[in-house]
Amino acid sequence: MTETMTARLDAPEIQQEVDSLLARMNLDQKIGQMTQGERAFVSPEDVRDYHLGSVLSGGGSCPGDNLPADWVAMNDAYWAASMAEEDDRLPIPLLYGVDAIHGNTNVRGATVFPHNIGLGAARDPDLLERIAQVTAREILATGVEWTFAPTLAVARDVRWGRTYESYSEDPGIVGAYAARFVAGLQDAPDEADVVACAKHWVGDGGTFAGIDQGDANVSREELERTHIAPYRDAIAEGVLTVMASLSSWNGKKCHGHRVLLTDVLKGELGFRGFVVSDWDGTDQLDPDYATAVELAVNAGVDMFMVPDKWKEFIGHLKSHVQRGAVPMERIDDAVRRILAVKFAYGLFDRPRPAERPWSNDPGFGSREHRDVAREAVRKSLVLLKNEGGVLPLDRAARILVAGKNADDRGHQCGGFTVAWQGTTGNAQIEGGTSIWEGIREASPGAVLSVDGAEAGAGDFDAAIVVIGERPYAEGMGDIRSAGATAVAPGSQIVLETANLEPYGSTLELAELHPEDLATIRTIAAEGIPVVAVLVSGRPLVVNRELESAAAFVAAWLPGSEGAGVADVLFGDHDFQGKLAFSWPGSPGDTVFPRGFGLTLSG
Ligand code: BGC
């Protein structure tokens, strides 16, 4: 529990192990520990020869047939290379990192939980801890031991493409979840634990106009109150790693921000684990890569996520140390932190991945795990309108199901599922149920007509129309007008994301996806009461859809267990979700405040 991990990091026996190992390491071995390459660019021989401390999978980067056994075999080979003792090599077990941010969702057949925005609406910290425990087991089933989660972003502008990774705009809700999620990942008994990573330090959710990797123009007090606060909870729980943010604070990139990384995070907040950089995050500090490396390491980054150019990174860091631009004490501090995390987690005592107790565990994607996800779906739904008590629906009623997101497991899972940007259709989300499949189970007579064209053909009592966004991740999900600058005037930082194609230029669903309103209207024109179910990574302006529908449910990005939606629509469970974000009407206007959410009784 709380003390365990923090106390373990500080425990004299661990510090002794760290010191004695560090004393035997040469500069190449130390720099190797600070280096994390991406699996597509790193062979086991590279791990052995360059003493790499870590390897990661970027979103959608998977070995073999992408089954748990393929992952175990991959990490086993990396681990064996990291433990080679030939030629006086020091064996130091490798730490493998993945983005298991809503389940271990790179992997085929994983249980996919609702994205964080839905969990924020569920307001259930106990559930969060159970989700983290199940996620940890599905990570361990693949022989992996580190996830880049939880995201502690407090999204303040829903135009941000990563809004769905945020539990809430309210730091209190994010903080209450932070500790429980970290506990669920790191503190499970029976070696069912993994290393957590709180991200992205700091202010990622507070950027100007919600631009990804943009600039948070906020005072120190506001940064503390809104964005730093949840990290205090995670650190109190002993979170072992923290990822730096690709964004800036008042014009200065977090990856090069010594005050934020060293003085505040490691000093004031007393964080004892290690800081990992984000994907190529160092590059943005200076056009000259060597200079960028120097700035980041001296600012306090301990491990470098350098997916493909890890050799270049190693070369630069070594020459900086040799010419004194990076002090040896900084290198030793970084390596000490990395080794302390490996010792505290017990990595040195665990057998090779293929022999670990949870590897290839048959619980991966099991009914038991999926039941937790289905419960999360039920609890995350927020009922915004229920005119004339159209909900709950009667299973025996004649029900039409429509909308482009009705039978699309890929869309309901959102980004960071199988592929970085997510997928479309049912084929790639193995297991689970689409929202339509769940409705059909509950009400076998229901009829699917995606565009609603069959509305006039049957004598329907009600229609469920599933509308909303298609998947996206990071800056590709931003809402911003073409040519909009990514930073506030005056900032010296020029961002690459400014060149990324955003999702759209408005939050208004009827503009982004006019087909949704058309489907609702086609059906409503037949006099059939419409229950609109919105699948989206953020609240959208839906005034016209709200007006045309009799009932309206925000389902967020529910994940693989779409059947949780039917559980509530047919009244087996009541709605309990409450908005964790205020809901926009016209710009600057709120139609539903944070905390809003109806139940079946009103
Ligand atoms: C994201 C991180 C993620 C990393 C590794 C980056 O693009 O910003 O959140 O952990 O990639 O996939």
Side-chain angles (χ1 to χ4, degrees):
M1 259 283 318
T2 308
E3 282 79 18
T4 339
M5 272 307 171
T6 322
R8 249 188 263 168
L9 279 174
D10 279 334
E13 57 279 15
I14 289 207
Q15 289 306 320
Q16 254 167 33
E17 304 242 44
V18 169
D19 285 342
S20 99
L21 183 51
L22 191 72
R24 289 183 288 137
M25 292 169 76
N26 62 31
L27 183 58
D28 289 336
Q29 289 162 338
K30 290 177 181 178
I31 291 177
Q33 281 303 305
M34 296 170 67
T35 309
Q36 180 190 56
E38 210 278 342
R39 58 164 286 284
F41 307 97
V42 177
S43 67
E45 293 69 37
D46 291 331
V47 167
R48 183 194 60 203
D49 297 346
Y50 292 87
H51 314 279
L52 302 185
S54 178
V55 175
L56 90 149
S57 274
S61 177
C62 311
D65 291 331
N66 191 19
L67 291 168
D70 298 302
W71 286 79
V72 173
M74 172 190 68
N75 204 25
D76 198 59
Y78 283 132
W79 182 92
S82 73
M83 296 303 279
E85 289 189 67
E86 67 230 39
D87 306 326
D88 294 333
R89 206 188 160 280
L90 286 174
I92 302 176
L94 177 112
L95 197 58
Y96 197 99
V98 295
D99 285 304
I101 65 169
H102 66 141
N104 191 8
T105 55
N106 258 332
V107 186
R108 277 171 64 184
T111 305
V112 184
F113 292 93
H115 267 297
N116 287 350
I117 192 165
L119 302 181
R123 307 284 175 95
D124 187 338
D126 292 329
L127 172 66
L128 256 277
E129 189 160 342
R130 285 187 288 128
I131 290 174
Q133 285 166 347
V134 170
T135 303
R137 290 186 184 192
E138 296 210 0
I139 294 167
L140 291 168
T142 62
V144 168
E145 54 284 288
W146 182 20
T147 174
F148 306 127
T151 303
L152 298 185
V154 179
R156 305 295 282 187
D157 188 322
V158 299
R159 288 175 291 180
W160 188 34
R162 305 190 80 153
T163 298
Y164 64 79
E165 294 184 58
S166 172
Y167 297 119
S168 177
E169 66 189 8
D170 175 358
I173 294 176
V174 179
Y177 275 7
R180 300 301 292 273
F181 202 80
V182 169
L185 291 176
Q186 291 193 168
D187 297 336
D190 304 325
E191 297 196 10
D193 55 335
V194 297
V195 175
C197 181
K199 70 185 188 183
H200 308 81
W201 176 263
V202 62
D204 52 349
T207 60
F208 168 76
I211 289 166
D212 190 44
Q213 305 188 18
D215 191 12
N217 307 130
V218 297
S219 67
R220 175 69 172 86
E221 292 68 35
E222 171 65 8
L223 192 73
E224 168 60 46
R225 195 171 43 242
T226 304
H227 303 284
I228 292 178
Y231 284 85
R232 294 188 184 272
D233 298 287
I235 290 166
E237 190 58 48
V239 67
L240 288 169
T241 69
V242 167
M243 188 185 290
S245 179
L246 296 165
S247 58
S248 306
W249 178 40
N250 289 329
K252 192 170 163 59
K253 281 279 172 189
C254 293
H255 275 70
H257 213 300
R258 195 198 294 245
V259 169
L260 288 179
L261 294 172
T262 298
D263 300 350
V264 179
L265 178 61
K266 295 177 179 175
E268 213 182 290
L269 270 68
F271 172 60
R272 313 278 298 144
F274 71 80
V275 173
V276 61
S277 65
D278 199 350
W279 187 280
D280 278 340
T282 303
D283 301 39
Q284 299 186 18
L285 298 183
D286 196 280
D288 173 48
Y289 189 47
T291 306
V293 169
E294 179 187 332
L295 291 170
V297 72
N298 282 337
V301 173
D302 301 308
M303 182 184 278
F304 287 77
M305 189 188 288
V306 278
D308 54 345
K309 51 173 177 287
W310 53 269
K311 268 190 204 168
E312 214 182 314
F313 163 77
I314 288 174
H316 289 316
L317 186 49
K318 192 167 177 184
S319 88
H320 288 325
V321 177
Q322 284 165 342
R323 67 187 176 82
V326 171
M328 200 57 209
E329 299 78 64
R330 178 72 269 275
I331 299 291
D332 283 346
D333 172 52
V335 178
R336 233 187 219 108
R337 286 170 175 274
I338 293 164
L339 295 178
V341 165
K342 291 184 174 185
F343 278 113
Y345 173 63
L347 198 56
F348 285 83
D349 301 324
R350 297 187 197 218
R352 57 191 307 153
E355 289 167 10
R356 293 182 192 161
W358 293 98
S359 288
N360 291 309
D361 186 67
F364 184 90
S366 63
R367 170 61 36 223
E368 191 193 344
H369 288 185
R370 291 177 186 280
D371 282 348
V372 178
R374 184 166 171 168
E375 175 187 344
V377 175
R378 288 197 292 266
K379 292 180 167 174
S380 66
L381 304 178
V382 181
L383 181 60
L384 297 177
K385 176 179 181 182
N386 190 19
E387 205 172 68
V390 59
L391 291 174
L393 296 166
D394 179 352
R395 292 165 187 277
R398 288 151 302 177
I399 291 169
L400 178 72
V401 179
K404 66 170 189 289
N405 285 343
D407 190 24
D408 197 318
R409 297 204 287 267
H411 282 204
Q412 76 198 29
C413 287
F416 284 100
T417 319
V418 183
W420 178 42
Q421 294 292 325
T423 70
T424 287
N426 289 332
Q428 293 188 70
I429 311 297
E430 298 178 19
T433 44
S434 69
I435 293 174
W436 150 248
E437 289 163 334
I439 294 167
R440 192 182 47 190
E441 262 169 34
S443 177
V447 171
L448 179 68
S449 165
V450 170
D451 61 2
E454 283 175 45
D459 195 7
F460 295 106
D461 299 313
I464 300 167
V465 184
V466 189
I467 57 177
E469 295 178 320
R470 57 176 163 71
Y472 51 79
E474 304 187 34
M476 272 82 128
D478 282 0
I479 297 290
R480 67 189 128 88
S481 36
T485 47
V487 285
S491 165
Q492 76 269 36
I493 307 295
V494 180
L495 294 172
E496 287 174 17
T497 27
N499 304 322
L500 291 179
E501 194 66 30
Y503 190 84
S505 57
T506 168
L507 279 173
E508 189 153 358
L509 182 62
E511 302 288 332
L512 289 170
H513 293 291
E515 69 278 11
D516 288 342
L517 184 59
T519 307
I520 294 174
R521 284 185 173 161
T522 302
I523 296 169
E526 298 292 334
I528 305 167
V530 168
V531 177
V533 176
L534 179 70
V535 169
S536 68
R538 55 189 148 211
L540 293 166
V541 174
V542 289
N543 299 355
R544 286 186 267 177
E545 295 79 0
L546 261 169
E547 203 182 285
S548 311
F552 200 101
V553 177
W556 316 109
L557 297 170
S560 57
E561 305 314 301
V565 175
D567 289 343
V568 182
L569 295 185
F570 290 100
D572 296 344
H573 295 263
D574 201 351
F575 286 88
Q576 72 172 63
K578 304 287 174 215
L579 292 179
F581 285 84
S582 39
W583 196 287
S586 51
D589 165 40
T590 295
V591 276
F592 302 109
R594 184 169 75 237
F596 184 83
L598 302 169
T599 61
L600 289 172
S601 49

